[in-house]
Amino acid sequence: MAPGNTQRLLVIPARNMSSFLSGISDGVHLSNIFMPGTHESMALYGWPIANCQNSNQCVLSQLQGGIRVFDLRLAAVNGTTLTSYHSIISEKVLFSDIIATFSAFLSSTAGQDECVVLSIKQEDNGSTVTDGVFSALVYQEVVGSSVSGSLKGKGVTDATTGGQPLPPPSPTKESLLPQSLQDMWYLENRVPTLGEVRGKIVLFSRFGDGTGWPGGLNGMGISPMIWPDSDPNGFSFVCGDTTFQMQDWYNIGSISKIPQKFTIATSTMITTPSLTDPTSSINHILPMSFSSAASFPFALPGMVANGIGISTLGYMGVNQRIFQWATDLLTAAGSNALQVSSLPKGAREAEVAGAVHQAPPNLQRVSGWLMMDFFDEPTGLVPLLVEINWMNQNLGVQSLAGSQGWGQWLLGRNK
């Protein structure tokens, strides 16, 4: 190491990725939470063009690994059976099996305080299946899944659970299971607080015209009215009292655009809270950013996400860059927390308390939904992203009452 250079060791508390939302208070708006997601969540097959997730990362593995936002593409096979697809390639999983896996996880001991955002998009547009028919089919599945016993025998497939049994319901959920199934879906066209949707699926509808839904477009979950195709400048839309700050630039041309894609993807996740409303209890901005990209043949999904060759000799992918970005964020925030730990005990407590309740000027929050390809590479990426929630707590831009963030953890270590 050259003279004058320093290295920092980042140490973060170990958190259970199956239940990390349980450490966040009910009143926190979903826009304030950093929730890792997967792009083309069921694209486990079709290498090298259509494959966007590793084949061993079934739905249950993603849930247990900390993924809370799913991007599901469906086609109506024979006009009746909703099945996961990526473009024209079948991913061989029925929508009903995916729902059953979500239901089992959200009723389990680990998942009962979690929530899942499920984005659904029609993948067979232009076929004989019209928007109205597709919309009605999704509604039938949603209503059908709410009937007690309707999911019995479903969910155990290689792509949903890795062939393993579904997790059993928690003792508190088991006695209320019929009711919990009826309440499993959040279908309002607004962004809720976490407490409103624990144990639920928040529907994000990129499909249909409201046909077959009692409330039309206002009763089929969060419904973006615009979605420009691969716009590097991003876009926004308003949903109730929340403005979505969006980025889905995927047609990057070649891997030479990876640095630009990474910069756009991560900068979208950053917002500036109001000094008078640091936890954004009134002014909600929810970033949703896709770190994924693909252009045939010079920027295939795996090449963009994971790069080419080893990082020192090849070309670093988006995921490794995000890993370093998150590490840098947490290291900077962690060094501030370490400065707190060097103060006398009374001063440390006052400093931490002040940090939780008051945001300093020009402070930025990193939050929202980051949609990734091959989310499990490099190892440890999702835990780093999840830890950003506790960074936000320490900086005073997310209220996590009763949870253990860095400041409280450091205080405990130094008592």
Side-chain angles (χ1 to χ4, degrees):
M1 186 168 59
N5 288 347
T6 59
Q7 291 184 338
R8 291 177 175 174
L9 176 64
L10 175 62
V11 179
I12 60 177
R15 303 190 191 278
N16 187 343
M17 291 297 100
S18 290
S19 56
F20 77 88
L21 289 178
S22 64
I24 299 177
S25 64
D26 285 352
V28 177
H29 197 262
L30 288 196
S31 63
N32 275 16
I33 304 173
F34 197 113
M35 293 171 58
T38 46
H39 160 253
E40 289 279 5
S41 303
M42 297 309 303
L44 309 181
Y45 314 107
W47 185 88
I49 300 173
N51 178 214
C52 296
Q53 307 298 334
N54 286 316
S55 60
N56 64 335
Q57 292 300 333
C58 61
V59 174
L60 187 59
S61 292
Q62 292 186 41
L63 288 165
Q64 293 171 338
I67 296 302
R68 291 296 175 269
V69 189
F70 287 76
D71 171 27
L72 188 59
R73 314 296 174 97
L74 299 173
V77 177
N78 299 323
T80 59
T81 307
L82 292 176
T83 306
S84 62
Y85 264 73
H86 185 182
S87 186
I88 61 173
I89 298 177
S90 173
E91 296 298 335
K92 311 172 187 176
V93 189
L94 298 180
F95 184 35
S96 57
D97 284 321
I98 297 169
I99 295 173
T101 306
F102 285 146
S103 174
F105 174 77
L106 292 169
S107 299
S108 69
T109 300
Q112 62 185 337
D113 289 324
E114 304 299 291
C115 74
V116 171
V117 177
L118 178 59
S119 171
I120 297 178
K121 180 177 182 290
Q122 183 177 0
E123 200 75 340
D124 56 353
N125 295 89
S127 70
T128 56
V129 179
T130 64
D131 289 352
V133 169
F134 184 88
S135 181
L137 287 172
V138 174
Y139 179 72
Q140 290 169 15
E141 291 277 11
V142 168
V143 171
S145 69
S146 300
V147 177
S148 179
S150 64
L151 299 178
K152 185 177 181 180
K154 296 183 180 295
V156 180
T157 72
D158 287 342
T160 52
T161 67
Q164 300 300 309
L166 291 167
S170 71
T172 54
K173 284 282 188 178
E174 190 167 21
S175 62
L176 300 173
L177 201 53
Q179 180 181 353
S180 68
L181 280 174
Q182 293 168 11
D183 295 336
M184 184 174 64
W185 293 89
Y186 177 85
L187 301 177
E188 294 186 41
N189 191 14
R190 67 175 179 88
V191 179
T193 62
L194 179 57
E196 294 178 275
V197 290
R198 290 198 192 275
K200 295 188 179 185
I201 302 170
V202 178
L203 185 60
F204 186 95
S205 299
R206 293 181 61 189
F207 67 89
D209 57 5
T211 299
W213 294 73
L217 289 175
N218 286 323
M220 50 191 294
I222 299 168
S223 301
M225 301 305 296
I226 60 169
W227 200 287
D229 185 55
S230 193
D231 186 348
N233 296 316
F235 62 100
S236 64
F237 69 90
V238 176
C239 176
D241 60 358
T242 303
T243 299
F244 276 79
Q245 180 170 287
M246 306 290 296
Q247 181 278 135
D248 186 19
W249 175 46
Y250 64 87
N251 189 14
I252 64 174
S254 76
I255 61 171
S256 65
K257 295 294 182 65
I258 286 178
Q260 184 180 353
K261 172 64 183 182
F262 155 74
T263 299
I264 292 175
T266 51
S267 63
T268 300
M269 304 298 293
I270 300 172
T271 59
T272 302
S274 165
L275 288 179
T276 57
D277 185 23
T279 59
S280 296
S281 60
I282 300 174
N283 303 299
H284 305 306
I285 301 175
L286 200 163
M288 183 176 186
S289 183
F290 288 74
S291 65
S292 53
S295 296
F296 183 80
F298 301 115
L300 300 177
M303 295 164 59
V304 175
N306 297 323
I308 297 177
I310 62 175
S311 59
T312 53
L313 299 178
Y315 205 80
M316 187 184 296
V318 171
N319 287 12
Q320 184 64 51
R321 295 168 190 265
I322 291 174
F323 186 99
Q324 187 61 55
W325 169 76
T327 301
D328 290 344
L329 284 174
L330 296 172
T331 301
S335 65
N336 291 336
L338 287 171
Q339 290 173 15
V340 171
S341 71
S342 66
L343 296 171
K345 181 175 181 294
R348 290 203 308 269
E349 292 172 345
E351 186 77 15
V352 171
V356 171
H357 295 294
Q358 183 176 2
N362 304 317
L363 189 66
Q364 294 179 315
R365 176 172 51 242
V366 183
S367 64
W369 306 341
L370 181 63
M371 313 299 290
M372 300 174 284
D373 281 348
F374 302 99
F375 76 97
D376 54 327
E377 301 181 50
T379 301
L381 174 57
V382 170
L384 278 178
L385 296 175
V386 165
E387 197 61 32
I388 288 174
N389 288 297
W390 279 265
M391 178 192 77
N392 285 338
Q393 176 201 15
N394 252 20
L395 296 177
V397 292
Q398 182 191 80
S399 175
L400 299 181
S403 64
Q404 184 187 44
W406 294 350
Q408 286 75 11
W409 180 72
L410 285 164
L411 287 175
R413 299 275 292 185
N414 285 278
K415 284 182 179 178

